[in-house]
């Protein structure tokens, strides 16, 4: 199906959309935190890369990444669209490169980074995600005195 807008109009419409994260995945993550009684997280913290959740005292940044946009390797949701390959492939490569840069920068600044995939937020995988989070929260950050 052809786009109903001309390229200039589509650009204008898309520029009005502001980055606020994926509400559905973030709400599922909040429900998981509550179920597991994990406390101390904050959202919208002024940190490089805009993590979805931040545990300041533990210096832990949690990102909930969409499998499609962030290219979860081997995931059925990480498909490549058949049309406009010349647009999609560079876009995906930029997303993955930006994720690496954010992770590297935060780690150099003394933060630990956990990336949770969107497909891991299904009820059958909750136990695995909770164990990862608890392990990351219990680990000591190198170079930080308690």
């Amino acid at each position: 199906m052809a786009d109903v807008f001309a390229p200039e109009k589509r650009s204008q419409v898309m520029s009005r959309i502001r980055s606020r994260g994926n509400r559905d995945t973030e709400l599922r993550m909040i429900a998981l935190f509550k179920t597991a009684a994990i406390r101390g997280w904050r959202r919208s913290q002024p940190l490089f890369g805009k993590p979805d959740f931040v545990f300041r005292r533990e210096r832990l940044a949690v990102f909930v990444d969409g499998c499609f946009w962030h290219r979860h390797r081997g995931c059925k949701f990480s498909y490549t669209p058949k049309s406009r390959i010349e647009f999609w492939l560079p876009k995906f490569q930029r997303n993955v490169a930006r994720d690496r840069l954010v992770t590297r920068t935060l780690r150099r600044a003394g933060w630990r980074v956990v990336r949770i995939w969107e497909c891991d937020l299904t009820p059958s995988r909750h136990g695995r995600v909770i164990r990862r989070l608890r392990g990351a929260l219990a680990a000591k950050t190198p170079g930080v005195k308690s």
Side-chain angles (χ1 to χ4, degrees):
M1 181 174 152
D3 196 351
V4 296
F5 294 120
E8 300 80 26
K9 179 65 175 174
R10 170 60 61 199
S11 179
Q12 179 189 12
V13 168
M14 295 304 286
S15 73
R16 304 291 296 155
I17 299 172
R18 293 290 157 232
S19 173
R20 284 271 166 114
N22 185 331
R23 185 170 168 82
D24 184 46
T25 55
E26 289 180 15
L27 290 177
R28 283 190 282 168
M29 195 69 196
I30 290 170
L32 189 62
F33 284 147
K34 290 181 179 180
T35 300
I38 296 175
R39 299 196 183 352
W41 52 270
R42 295 288 176 257
R43 296 175 67 192
S44 303
Q45 294 292 300
L47 200 58
F48 182 73
K50 298 181 183 176
D52 297 304
F53 301 95
V54 174
F55 294 84
R56 279 213 167 276
R57 192 172 354 138
E58 295 84 0
R59 295 185 62 82
L60 176 68
V62 178
F63 292 87
V64 184
D65 291 338
C67 298
F68 176 77
W69 293 107
H70 298 270
R71 311 314 290 162
H72 185 196
R73 197 175 304 219
C75 180
K76 68 179 181 179
F77 301 116
S78 181
Y79 63 90
T80 302
K82 302 274 187 270
S83 63
R84 297 188 60 209
I85 298 289
E86 68 283 352
F87 167 79
W88 287 108
L89 290 181
K91 178 162 186 61
F92 292 144
Q93 290 168 350
R94 286 190 309 268
N95 288 351
V96 170
R98 184 174 53 250
D99 290 344
R100 278 194 215 115
L101 173 68
V102 167
T103 299
R104 189 177 15 208
T105 303
L106 287 174
R107 285 187 176 151
R108 284 182 182 159
W111 287 81
R112 282 173 290 123
V113 177
V114 173
R115 291 192 176 271
I116 306 290
W117 291 106
E118 180 181 17
C119 66
D120 288 333
L121 295 179
T122 60
S124 63
R125 296 181 181 173
H126 280 181
R128 182 183 327 167
V129 173
I130 291 169
R131 281 190 300 276
R132 269 188 76 201
L133 289 169
R134 285 193 174 138
L137 288 167
K140 295 288 181 190
T141 305
V144 177
K145 295 182 182 179
S146 302

